[in-house]
Amino acid sequence: MTDLDDVPTPQGQLTLKLLAARQDTNLYGDIPGGWLVGHMDQAAELAAGRIAHGRTATVAIEAMDFLCPVREGSVVNVFTEVREIGRSSIKINVEVWIRPPHERNPDELHKVTEARFVMVAMDDNGRIRAVPDAP
């Protein structure tokens, strides 16, 4: 999504912030990737819904790599940035950054993953519709 830099920082705006709890973990105390993807999808839907003025649906998720595990007790921050608005679609970059449990610096975040979500605006009948004021 972005070029690597010496001190990476989250891109976009904080859309979701949650705590990785014990009931969310696997047998080893790690958060499964599917749990993260579900929350990334929720954040993308929130961001796209603001642009679409209503219901949206995910039609694609571009490649995703996981950079580090998420442990129980981590604060999970999901950032979104609208990258492109089409006639009926909205492309959103979604990044996950965590503050691990027992982190000494409360402002230090660690990047976990990122992906581009492609969302489409939907009408009340579940059909694709135009995004208001789309180019």
Side-chain angles (χ1 to χ4, degrees), residues 61-72:
I61 302 172
E62 294 184 6
M64 181 182 304
D65 292 320
F66 292 92
L67 307 173
C68 68
V70 177
R71 303 287 302 175
E72 172 188 345

Side-chain angles (χ1 to χ4, degrees), residues 3-130:
D3 292 330
L4 294 176
D5 55 20
D6 292 336
V7 184
T9 57
Q11 301 296 306
Q13 67 179 5
L14 180 62
T15 305
L16 282 180
K17 187 173 195 171
L18 33 119
L19 180 67
R22 176 171 289 143
Q23 69 266 18
D24 303 318
T25 63
N26 62 22
L27 294 172
Y28 304 102
D30 295 320
I31 298 298
W35 185 89
L36 288 171
V37 172
H39 287 293
M40 292 171 75
D41 188 55
Q42 185 179 35
E45 187 172 350
L46 288 168
R50 288 192 289 265
I51 302 295
H53 301 278
R55 183 178 176 190
T56 62
T58 305
V59 294
I61 302 172
E62 294 184 6
M64 181 182 304
D65 292 320
F66 292 92
L67 307 173
C68 68
V70 177
R71 303 287 302 175
E72 172 188 345
S74 295
V75 175
V76 178
N77 300 277
V78 185
F79 293 85
T80 58
E81 183 177 28
V82 175
R83 299 303 295 174
E84 186 180 325
I85 301 171
R87 190 179 94 57
S88 61
S89 65
I90 303 165
K91 292 184 179 180
I92 299 174
N93 287 354
V94 182
E95 296 182 356
V96 175
W97 292 72
I98 61 166
R99 191 182 79 233
H102 315 298
E103 177 64 51
R104 291 185 181 158
N105 180 353
D107 296 325
E108 186 171 334
L109 297 176
H110 302 274
K111 188 173 189 177
V112 175
T113 191
E114 68 181 342
R116 178 165 293 165
F117 281 67
V118 181
M119 314 295 288
V120 293
M122 307 286 284
D123 67 17
D124 291 336
N125 295 316
R127 293 189 191 104
I128 295 173
R129 65 172 172 84

